[in-house]
Amino acid sequence: MNRETKVIGILDSGVGGLTVVREVMRQLPYERIVYFGDTAHCPYGSRTPEEVRQFTLDIVDFLTTSFSLKALVMACNTATAVALEDVRQKVDVPVIGVIHPGARSAVQASTNGRIGVIGTERTVQSGAYRRALTRLKADLHIVSLACPSFVPLVESGRAEADDVFPIVQQALTPLFNDDIDTLILGCTHYPLLRKHIARAMGDGVTLISSATETARELKSIMLQQNTLTLDPSERPEHRYFTSGSPRLFRQIAASCLQLTLDAKHVHLEKV
């Protein structure tokens, strides 16, 4: 992939953003993607806002100096909550976060107006989902819950393990008596735990992953700006980078997402 090739950049604190990558591939099949997962500093949810902002801006520096971007997706809820506006001021291409698309999807899905949000400590503390949801519909009943144990489970490659269910069930216990009918998976790692979360919450709760809505918003913006690749003869070449172990990154991508990929280690100098 040469420097002149226009690509979609996608960043995340680790492997969770690959759920967004998969959906972008499905909805925008002819686009080239460059993904960066900051597994060396994951999870972001327990980091200070200053750390999250610096890590995010360092990744943006890498992506913008190494590739020619046509759009940038912040596939990390924590980074979106903390640094979305900073990134928008830094780059001259559309920057899409995952919070507002997820909120819109949840409001559309809920029938009783009682919506749960699970995320990292930093995302929940930011109140970003609550603000996004109440802008869309003021009279919602919103219950937010931090689940700090979830990201390490995914990043360790254990998301599919049967013994993970009791951990997930215990973490979600505070939500069981709130009569929510919709639950936002407010971290892109959480869809990789979907089977356990769905089992714990029961059939009456709709789980919302922001990946589908984020890809749809990205496609809409690119159509408006006439930057969408529509040529079916294009064979997109995707690139993956991680600040941590490429081997573990590949293993998790293969086991949880059925993505076969090659990842390259990158040391971000500033961090």
Side-chain angles (χ1 to χ4, degrees):
M1 187 186 297
N2 62 50
R3 182 66 175 81
E4 286 70 38
T5 302
K6 293 281 189 178
V7 303
I8 296 171
I10 302 179
L11 65 84
D12 185 59
S13 62
V15 299
L18 292 173
T19 57
V20 177
V21 169
R22 183 170 59 181
E23 190 60 30
V24 171
M25 286 179 175
R26 187 181 72 82
Q27 293 192 38
L28 294 81
Y30 312 122
E31 295 294 340
R32 292 172 168 85
I33 296 168
V34 174
Y35 180 87
F36 195 105
D38 190 16
T39 52
H41 302 106
C42 188
Y44 279 8
S46 57
R47 299 280 189 172
T48 67
E50 292 74 22
E51 286 178 311
V52 173
R53 190 173 292 108
Q54 188 62 62
F55 296 155
T56 303
L57 292 175
D58 288 345
I59 296 169
V60 172
D61 279 343
F62 168 77
L63 291 174
T64 55
T65 57
S66 304
F67 300 94
S68 179
L69 301 184
K70 62 167 69 175
L72 178 63
V73 179
M74 295 175 64
C76 175
N77 285 265
T78 303
T80 299
V82 171
L84 179 62
E85 293 309 316
D86 298 276
V87 174
R88 282 179 170 163
Q89 292 175 19
K90 188 178 180 67
V91 302
D92 59 359
V93 298
V95 180
I96 296 97
V98 287
I99 289 176
H100 285 86
R104 282 197 302 271
S105 184
V107 170
Q108 292 167 2
S110 179
T111 57
N112 70 0
R114 302 177 71 87
I115 297 174
V117 179
I118 55 174
T120 68
E121 294 165 290
R122 185 60 55 201
T123 298
V124 169
Q125 289 169 6
S126 76
Y129 268 106
R130 181 175 294 275
R131 289 192 297 273
L133 288 163
T134 53
R135 283 194 198 106
L136 294 167
K137 191 174 182 182
D139 60 346
L140 293 171
H141 175 80
I142 303 165
V143 183
S144 301
L145 177 67
C147 299
S149 62
F150 286 6
V151 171
L153 288 173
V154 172
E155 290 289 334
S156 66
R158 296 181 57 210
E160 294 292 315
D162 291 337
D163 64 353
V164 165
F165 174 71
I167 302 172
V168 171
Q169 184 179 44
Q170 178 63 34
L172 296 175
T173 299
L175 298 177
F176 292 164
N177 295 321
D178 272 294
D179 193 31
I180 62 172
D181 73 347
T182 304
L183 179 63
I184 297 175
L185 307 184
C187 173
T188 45
H189 285 74
Y190 293 2
L192 299 177
L193 293 165
R194 190 183 190 97
K195 74 172 185 179
H196 301 303
I197 296 171
R199 179 182 169 193
M201 297 305 301
D203 294 337
V205 177
T206 300
L207 303 186
I208 300 295
S209 167
S210 57
T212 301
E213 289 298 316
T214 300
R216 186 175 292 126
E217 180 168 313
L218 173 65
K219 183 176 182 179
S220 175
I221 290 171
M222 292 174 65
L223 278 169
Q224 290 172 10
Q225 297 194 348
N226 198 30
T227 58
L228 188 66
T229 303
L230 299 171
D231 185 357
S233 67
E234 289 285 332
R235 292 183 174 227
E237 174 193 354
H238 307 306
R239 301 282 298 277
Y240 301 89
F241 299 91
T242 177
S243 56
S245 165
R247 181 187 58 80
L248 183 58
F249 189 94
R250 289 193 297 267
Q251 286 178 350
I252 297 172
S255 64
C256 295
L257 291 164
Q258 287 74 57
L259 283 176
T260 301
L261 54 84
D262 186 28
K264 181 180 179 181
H265 174 81
V266 169
H267 173 67
L268 296 178
E269 188 172 330
K270 289 184 182 179
V271 296

